Amino acid sequence: TLERFQPGKIPVIVVHGLLSDRFTWANLINEVRVQPDLMDRFQFWSYQYPTGEPFLQSAARLRRELDELRGLFDPTMADGALDQTVIVGHSMGGLIAKLQVISTGDSLWRSIASRSMDQLTMTGRARATLTELFYFQPSPMVSRVVFIGTPHRGSAFAQRAIGRFGSLLVREPEELRRRHRQIVDANPGVFTDEFARRFPTSIDLLNPSSALLQAIACRSVDPAIASHSVIGNWRPTLGNGPSDGIVSVESARIGGVETELVVHQKHTELTNDPAVIAEVMRIIRQHAAITSSSIDVRESVGRNNRSAVPALAKR
């Protein structure tokens, strides 16, 4: 959290992209802090994660930490504001955000394996880990998501030399690498080449040819969750048409969103662009107006049960 936890205020979680950090949101947060109506209704949290690890793992950790936060700050489920959480994700952070608002069924698993998980030889711990990564429902706290320059269908840069070189530099956690190798060796011929080679890193999964990425792209945001897209159209890239220089407009576009804004801006500056900042503020103002009545009802029930809570330690 960027400040002391505040019961009754809606969390807005900002999620950075590849090779970035939470400070990419500094201009947005500074603009919001001078808007009294927004500060009265919202509290801002940031999700920091190692961008070299698989975003499936980063997304699973975010789902788990949201559950833990709810248990810590609102164990009686009385704070209705927490049910209206908004996630804003830039670039790969948008993919992590999407994995909070979809239901997977078995589509993600089928994209990497030819047999069901219960037919495979593995330890109980490994099975639990894979289940958390590949089988999940939308987070019950999240009710709105904003995608900014998100490569829903990958980025051509992941296929080029810089992407391949970056992928080689990623050092997987030793425990993950060991567990992955045990599973693959114990189940020969079951996994796709994409998964059998190693647990795909974030850069690997940004390759447009990734079957796992394609499976994620085919899953729609839960219809109960509102979604928005902000897309950069800065210059054409060879073979990919209009783009923000990293992510093509086609890759960033997703169906079913309430609104879509296209801005003339490059990928790395989208979170600093005044038009993008204004759009995010417009969206959360709209969110506050829509959710105010339902939150007020929940708040009146739970207000008397609240007690002071300590601030979370900054990471």
Side-chain angles (χ1 to χ4, degrees):
T1 59
L2 303 181
E3 55 197 333
R4 184 182 179 87
F5 175 76
Q6 302 169 78
K9 289 190 178 183
I10 300 171
V12 177
I13 304 173
V14 290
V15 188
H16 62 81
L18 185 68
L19 304 179
S20 185
D21 56 40
R22 62 184 181 273
F23 297 107
T24 191
W25 302 104
N27 286 348
L28 171 63
I29 301 301
N30 288 337
E31 287 292 332
V32 169
R33 281 179 167 162
V34 297
Q35 308 292 325
D37 63 317
L38 296 181
M39 293 308 296
D40 285 345
R41 295 300 307 277
F42 296 97
Q43 56 187 317
F44 280 76
W45 302 348
S46 65
Y47 182 54
Q48 181 93 18
Y49 61 96
T51 62
E53 76 174 0
F55 62 69
L56 285 181
Q57 191 171 14
S58 298
R61 185 181 300 111
L62 178 54
R63 290 192 299 273
R64 186 167 61 250
E65 290 187 0
L66 285 177
D67 289 341
E68 292 171 355
L69 280 168
R70 189 64 182 262
L72 173 64
F73 290 133
D74 185 35
T76 63
M77 308 288 282
D79 192 342
L82 296 183
D83 295 322
Q84 306 298 337
T85 296
V86 180
I87 301 184
V88 182
H90 173 236
S91 191
M92 191 176 73
L95 292 174
I96 290 175
K98 187 178 182 183
L99 293 177
Q100 313 305 308
V101 296
I102 64 172
S103 175
T104 60
D106 64 350
S107 60
L108 270 59
W109 178 257
R110 287 190 293 123
S111 73
I112 63 137
S114 60
R115 295 167 58 188
S116 64
M117 193 183 302
D118 58 8
Q119 294 178 311
L120 302 188
T121 301
M122 66 180 75
T123 66
R125 183 177 179 184
R127 196 180 307 277
T129 297
L130 291 177
T131 299
E132 181 184 42
L133 297 182
F134 288 92
Y135 292 90
F136 49 86
Q137 299 291 323
S139 169
M141 285 177 57
V142 180
S143 65
R144 191 174 298 269
V145 62
V146 184
F147 303 111
I148 301 177
T150 299
H152 294 287
R153 297 170 190 82
S155 170
F157 273 76
Q159 293 177 302
R160 298 175 184 174
I162 186 171
R164 292 193 297 270
F165 180 68
S167 183
L168 292 173
L169 291 179
V170 171
R171 301 184 68 86
E172 302 167 88
E174 180 59 36
E175 175 66 15
L176 178 64
R177 181 165 55 247
R178 182 183 61 80
R179 194 176 304 170
H180 168 266
R181 182 45 48 198
Q182 288 176 343
I183 294 169
V184 171
D185 290 346
N187 300 276
V190 170
F191 296 103
T192 62
D193 290 343
E194 176 185 12
F195 186 84
R197 183 173 64 89
R198 66 174 179 179
F199 202 106
T201 67
S202 296
I203 297 176
D204 294 334
L205 289 177
L206 290 179
N207 190 319
S209 65
S210 166
L212 180 53
L213 179 67
Q214 292 170 17
I216 295 171
C218 288
R219 305 305 294 181
S220 298
V221 173
D222 187 282
I225 299 171
S227 58
H228 307 263
S229 283
V230 177
I231 299 171
N233 186 0
W234 181 49
R235 67 181 184 188
T237 53
L238 185 63
N240 290 283
S243 78
D244 60 14
I246 300 292
V247 178
S248 71
V249 171
E250 181 183 6
S251 180
R253 183 160 279 149
I254 185 174
V257 296
E258 285 191 0
T259 61
E260 178 185 286
L261 174 68
V262 180
V263 298
H264 181 69
Q265 186 58 270
K266 60 184 178 180
H267 186 77
T268 54
E269 291 299 320
L270 282 171
T271 57
N272 296 317
D273 188 279
V276 175
I277 293 173
E279 175 69 355
V280 173
M281 291 195 295
R282 182 197 68 79
I283 289 169
I284 62 176
R285 278 195 173 98
Q286 173 191 344
H287 187 68
I290 291 172
T291 60
S292 59
S293 59
S294 62
I295 292 176
D296 289 342
V297 171
R298 292 285 299 280
E299 287 298 288
S300 65
V301 173
R303 189 175 293 115
N304 293 334
N305 295 326
R306 293 205 185 99
S307 58
V309 293
L312 288 180
K314 292 183 179 179
R315 291 187 173 182

